Amino acid sequence: MAYPQETFRFAHVDATSLLGQRRAAASASMITYQLQILKDTGRYDAFSLKWQPIYDKVPEYWPIADHLFWDSDIGKWIEGACYFLQGESNPNPVVDGAIKELVEMIRRAQQPDGYLNIHYQVVEPGKRFTNLRDMHELYNLGHLIEGALAHNQYYGNDLFLEPMLKYVSLIHRVIGPRDGQLHGYPGHPELEIALMRLHHRTGDEKSFELARYFINERGNPTGVDGREFYTVEAEKRNEALDWQPVWYPAPRSHWYQQAHAPIAKQDTIEGHSVRAMYLLTAVADLVRVNPDSTDLKEAVYKLWNNMVEKRMYMTGGIGSMKQWEGFGPDYFLPQGTDEGGCYAETCAAIGVMMLAQRMLQYDLSNEYGDVMELCLYNAVFTAMSVDCMKFTYVNQLASSEKNPSERFGWFQCACCPPNVLRLLGMIGGYVWNVSESKKSDPTQIDVHLYAPATLNFETSAGQASLKQECDWPRDGSIKFSLIGEKRYVQLKLRIPGWATAWEISPALSHLDITDGYLTIPAEYLALHPDFNLTFDLKPRLIAPHPLTNQQILTVARGPIVYCVEDVDNTWVTDHFRSTHLDPECLTKNAVTEIKTADPSLPDEIYVSITVHKAAYTVDFDRLKIKPSVDKEDLHKTIGAAKVIDELKFVPYYYRANRGGHGMARVGLKQWTW
Amino acid sequence: MAYPQETFRFAHVDATSLLGQRRAAASASMITYQLQILKDTGRYDAFSLKWQPIYDKVPEYWPIADHLFWDSDIGKWIEGACYFLQGESNPNPVVDGAIKELVEMIRRAQQPDGYLNIHYQVVEPGKRFTNLRDMHELYNLGHLIEGALAHNQYYGNDLFLEPMLKYVSLIHRVIGPRDGQLHGYPGHPELEIALMRLHHRTGDEKSFELARYFINERGNPTGVDGREFYTVEAEKRNEALDWQPVWYPAPRSHWYQQAHAPIAKQDTIEGHSVRAMYLLTAVADLVRVNPDSTDLKEAVYKLWNNMVEKRMYMTGGIGSMKQWEGFGPDYFLPQGTDEGGCYAETCAAIGVMMLAQRMLQYDLSNEYGDVMELCLYNAVFTAMSVDCMKFTYVNQLASSEKNPSERFGWFQCACCPPNVLRLLGMIGGYVWNVSESKKSDPTQIDVHLYAPATLNFETSAGQASLKQECDWPRDGSIKFSLIGEKRYVQLKLRIPGWATAWEISPALSHLDITDGYLTIPAEYLALHPDFNLTFDLKPRLIAPHPLTNQQILTVARGPIVYCVEDVDNTWVTDHFRSTHLDPECLTKNAVTEIKTADPSLPDEIYVSITVHKAAYTVDFDRLKIKPSVDKEDLHKTIGAAKVIDELKFVPYYYRANRGGHGMARVGLKQWTW
């Protein structure tokens, strides 16, 4: 089983190309920037268990205290920092010292029986494990465990892992199927992933048992004396029937946390999108270990398909409903928060990547690889500034006056920034994979992402390295070099679904493409250890499903989805709501495609695309809607549109880096009149 | 000032035409059907103040007990029944007896100080006036007052009115601007309307003072010791900060009840749509009495315009958000509950009619008359079955598997059915109006609706009657006859905005059309007391604003909006989601327009419209969305659509009367490929 958190160590990503540049920027600034914020906000010292004034504050989102996720913020930062330290020749002593101090605080904070939680040790002592549904104790533990695993990997000691195993042992006593135990499961899944990894690393059986129990027990309608756990738990707390957290559309909306039915019986992807992705990632991990659990495996496919086909934005973002930070009904995908809803949380897109990475290991198909890459370069990359010090939580596809296109330094609920940090830290593990199912000769390397990187691996005959040289995705050409042992290596290269023209050189005598992965056999590699794969990255137009009622198009080039911004198109005043795009815009007149950089960001090379006289603005103010309009009047108004001489598109990830008035939009209305 | 509740007595509506038929059916069946339900559900006996088992029940919608609106159900039924009794030569003795018994119970139930409320006298004694925001005490009183006014009008006694005046006197002591009084206002506006009418009928000054206070105090951010009333009230109840009724998207969302700002400072129409309409109707009433209140008058215009231009469905329905039964953001108007939201509550459409009727009295413009008629025949009429014994609460424009097109016998919260009853009872008052501003000669009759009816009125020279003969809106021709005094009468006839072709015969020598109302001068009437007005009702296509992102069209004919149903178009399986309509469908091939009736409903004549080979179904299953599709593939799939030989439209109000599988849709995707 290959976890990117483990395998990234064998892959070195150069500081070039879009991916390499962002990883380098994260290394240079994101780690220390986030550390400073941890210190400034009280998070850093929280495991000292001293009272902080913020604990008295009325929470921004009742009933969740503002500090409730601090444990996880610490865990995720340590995790991310350790990934970056691992590859560095001169580790930053400030970062190293902070990790050591934090671990020391955590060790001291742990109670003798293993319990460890900032909120319940400081603010509400005596109430531990009374609200698994909302209070994130188990979620926090999950992130601490993942931090401890990274710490163990880098430092080679058990200083952080040992208290985690002790805490797991406590949970294993408290929660489980036996009489006297709580028959519960985490309100926010994450611990399940961590436990599977903890078991993978240490062989700890309690971890595996707990993970399996959480997954199988979840949504059991008769788990506690014939009733559902969260309902019984709520009654024990004397929770009034009219009580509801602000993100519940109704009291006891347990679909919010994917607990409305056992996972195998869930037909559509529902509720909070990050929870859904973390849960399914853990389910996929369990399925990989227990390939017999066919009902769970079918559920993963079913929910994935529902998501990708009906509930995902063109950018890879998921979740249109702000209230529950999650999925709306099928095809409900407005582009903006002010147009009916658009959430597309950063962590959720990272979760999609996690799930896709797992699915690729039991089903090597470009369907998963394509979505993984789409999320990375669009829904995730749009969530950080070029300098890696500003972030978004919500990634709408269209701005509005109320919700302009912008980024922020931090968030009260700060799950996203350190999640980006750890993703970039381990990103080498997403690039490729030594295929599990082919442990026998030849060793098979599945290449999911193209990036300037080198992978070191073992073959039956000895060490080998696979090197990619490229400027992906700005440029479509990748040079592969197999170094060292060549006779026992086979490659599977992803041919993205969008790639209509590509070539390999020297040519392959026989093209074997299965589920979008091209086989490069050992015989070819023995003859041609250096070869080139080249994709034609010519711009194309993409659209969402017509049932989304958007009737929009946007430009895409390779894996990159484009948007328009007011900083380039200064005439705009309405966030491009009335801007229409000719479906023939890419063929009709000349299209300008320039590899360029802006003066303010000279190192940030990107490809801009400009369409000429093939976009229009409609003067909607001419329409008198009371409350409808005659078709003739509508067509007349739209027919009187103004031609836009030049409409310039830039990559969606690049938005909000160059000033402007916060106007940006991915999908433009299709001009069909 | 003309209230339809008063003026309907001077107008007799014949039992023919669509409007007359529905009114007659209501008279024949709706009154007694609803009386029986009042009895079966415990409402009828509730003012006996005996405990009922339902009072123990866990409410369906916390914290609102299921019986909380019972007072208003009784009030509205009495009101509606009295309107019908008024015009009848043989009043139904059962109805008459029930009204008398109910009034007797109400009189006995009233407490010595004037207080009267089922919930607070039986279930929570001692808690009166502690939750004006949620508990509907004042709303209930409003509907009881309107019942009492109708009772007084029909019976000519004060048996019901007297206890109401006593209760108002109590409220006047308890709530108001003075020290020691509650500085509050009703959570659900309605009492304001009732008080204005009570003052109008009786001259009671306390009623007027209270109404004015409620309207002016509403949303005052500093009303109670520098703070907002509902917040202070909530704190007095020790309401937790995380507490929220299920329909609040966040605790203390006071825009839900239009109390987020003083009315004059509200820029957009927000929150619960019925509350918004009742409130603005009362504001309009106050403005009519106090024409100097220009800031309130401007608010009425501003909020009306925002509603009609950006937040109203093509059917006249308002409110897309189920959670708060109200308005979404501008242009957010999905057609179905399963497509993102569509509420369009029946009572809200009745509220739009109320408001429009008021606005017509200070601004005679077809903008208000058109919307009033649109709501009547579409958003309201679709809410009752042909036999007037089944109803809807939510009036979506498109069905889905989860929310099929259907009607119900009753509702736990039963505001809509008796609201339809009282509207039909007084509908004659909506048809026309003796213009206030023209009390001098000649007497001006403003004709807003066309219907087979006779209006009796006074002129300075004596009695006159205006008679309309027509089969509107099935037929576009209306014969007017002025009977009696003719020399001192002037008419203003509404020329609807949709009417592109019409004629008057004998011809007018000079056409004076101001704001969509045609003047028929006294000179003409003296010469031609009988004349004809004929509108060409040829079908047309209408569309909502493009920013609704619907890209739909539907057929309209006169004021009637059409829909398609599976009972006529039996091939449909997907609720017409993939059905597209050619924008040239009405001119391209022959269109069949038939005045017809179905065998199961032989008396229900309607005009059906069938388009031939000008609609298409697209096989969306061919699209592989992961999560977008290339424009070429999209166009190929849509281009491969199947032509529908015949697509039959029926009036939207007629849906769900003939069986079928509950599939219906108003707007069909525009075919533009």
Side-chain angles (χ1 to χ4, degrees), chain A residues 8 21-40 43-44 73-100 102 154-155 384-391 409-410 416-426:
Chain A
F8 84 94
Q21 274 183 296
R22 284 290 184 282
R23 194 179 186 280
S27 178
S29 59
M30 201 191 280
I31 303 174
T32 49
Y33 172 78
Q34 293 190 0
L35 174 59
Q36 192 55 48
I37 289 188
L38 295 183
K39 290 183 173 172
D40 294 345
R43 285 164 169 85
Y44 188 86
D73 296 337
I74 297 294
K76 280 154 88 174
W77 181 81
I78 293 177
E79 183 188 349
C82 286
Y83 296 149
F84 281 98
L85 286 176
Q86 193 110 353
E88 275 163 35
S89 41
N90 297 310
N92 183 332
V94 175
V95 173
D96 173 67
I99 294 170
K100 284 173 177 156
L102 283 167
Y154 174 63
Y155 288 99
M384 60 183 151
S385 57
V386 168
D387 66 5
C388 283
M389 293 198 283
K390 284 192 159 187
F391 307 93
W410 196 247
C416 301
N419 221 351
V420 173
L421 180 74
R422 59 184 200 141
L423 174 73
L424 286 175
M426 68 170 105

Side-chain angles (χ1 to χ4, degrees), chain B residues 7 76 82 95 183 350 359 380 392 399 456 458 536 551 666:
Chain B
T7 60
K76 280 154 88 175
C82 286
V95 173
H183 307 321
I350 292 174
M359 293 179 80
V380 176
T392 45
S399 60
N456 300 309
E458 297 271 359
D536 183 354
Q551 204 103 356
V666 171

